[in-house]
Amino acid sequence: MAHYYRNLWIVTAWIAFSVFGQDLLVAEENFPPPPFNSIRITYKISKTFRDDRGEVVFKKEGRETRTVDGVSGKLCQEQEAKTYLGMFVQEHQELRIFDGKKLYDVDLVKSEARYFDLPFDQPGFAWGAVAPVLAKESFRVGQEEVLGRSCDIYEAGEIKEWVWKRLLLKREVRSESGFQSEEAVAIEENPEIDPIQFVLLCRFF
């Protein structure tokens, strides 16, 4: 199981930051799941890309709520955002569900969905949505509060993370061409979760 969690953080990091085309420094230490049966975190998300002249050519802003049922190993991510590309503005409403076996990605604006059969069956996969990628003690650079919770700050290369009880509360990624951030604006510890939240409506298939 420890080997699985270590691989999970690497996969999560690649998915989250591959758009920057950079190598990530990922913790080598074993990283157990957070001490909760379930968690719900809402993040404010932002992405900005600039051209060679420093002018903003792409911007995305919105919120994403990630609900993890650690007992059943299920995940629900709900995102509402807007992207700005020149004079064009596009609204996004996206849903991601992991039901323990399949990962579903749904575009609620277009009423389109796709799914993936994951090549493993591990109850800890869902925690990757709220996990840090920098968890090695040598990366720790200080402490700071986020939402009134004392976080350890980890920094390596262009990535900086604020971690509380093995949960990601804030992340910043900087590069020459862009900036990406996500910061928790609401947290529910051990919330009651309706099982229907992890059921995808059959009208998409």
Side-chain angles (χ1 to χ4, degrees):
M1 181 66 73
H3 175 74
Y4 164 74
Y5 281 118
R6 185 164 60 251
N7 288 342
L8 170 59
W9 310 143
I10 296 173
V11 172
T12 303
W14 180 84
I15 293 174
F17 300 115
S18 60
V19 67
F20 284 93
Q22 60 185 355
D23 294 327
L24 298 177
L25 297 174
V26 182
E28 297 176 356
E29 300 171 342
N30 295 336
F31 198 72
F36 302 101
N37 290 329
S38 61
I39 200 78
R40 181 178 289 120
I41 305 178
T42 298
Y43 296 91
K44 179 181 178 182
I45 59 175
S46 176
K47 296 180 183 179
T48 302
F49 294 94
R50 299 178 181 274
D51 60 20
D52 295 339
R53 296 173 295 178
E55 297 182 359
V56 176
V57 294
F58 175 86
K59 188 174 183 180
K60 182 175 182 178
E61 294 181 334
R63 292 197 174 199
E64 182 169 290
T65 298
R66 304 169 191 170
T67 302
V68 177
D69 185 339
V71 177
S72 66
K74 297 180 179 180
L75 162 71
C76 179
Q77 294 182 211
E78 303 166 275
Q79 183 185 116
E80 292 188 6
K82 290 184 178 180
T83 55
Y84 303 85
L85 184 61
M87 298 180 63
F88 297 97
V89 180
Q90 184 175 0
E91 294 188 1
H92 299 267
Q93 287 185 305
E94 299 172 357
L95 175 66
R96 169 170 287 183
I97 293 176
F98 175 62
D99 65 3
K101 295 182 179 179
K102 289 183 171 63
L103 182 66
Y104 300 88
D105 281 327
V106 183
D107 187 325
L108 297 173
V109 175
K110 298 179 180 179
S111 294
E112 296 178 351
R114 57 181 179 172
Y115 72 92
F116 308 89
D117 288 302
L118 299 185
F120 48 79
D121 183 14
Q122 294 285 350
F125 176 80
W127 286 114
V130 290
V133 296
L134 304 176
K136 193 173 182 180
E137 182 62 25
S138 60
F139 295 153
R140 193 162 70 90
V141 296
Q143 287 186 317
E144 190 173 273
E145 286 193 356
V146 177
L147 284 180
R149 294 164 170 83
S150 180
C151 298
D152 289 322
I153 302 174
Y154 297 87
E155 188 170 8
E158 299 169 343
I159 306 171
K160 191 174 183 179
E161 294 183 325
W162 287 252
V163 181
W164 171 74
K165 292 188 176 181
R166 301 192 290 277
L167 292 170
L168 176 71
L169 295 196
K170 184 178 178 180
R171 176 187 286 137
E172 294 180 348
V173 182
R174 300 178 184 272
S175 71
E176 293 182 359
S177 60
F179 175 76
Q180 176 173 314
S181 69
E182 49 188 319
E183 182 173 355
V185 294
I187 301 177
E188 295 179 60
E189 301 171 30
N190 295 315
E192 293 186 10
I193 300 175
D194 188 340
I196 196 67
Q197 188 167 9
F198 305 108
V199 177
L200 192 63
L201 298 178
C202 62
R203 67 185 177 90
F204 292 107
F205 295 95

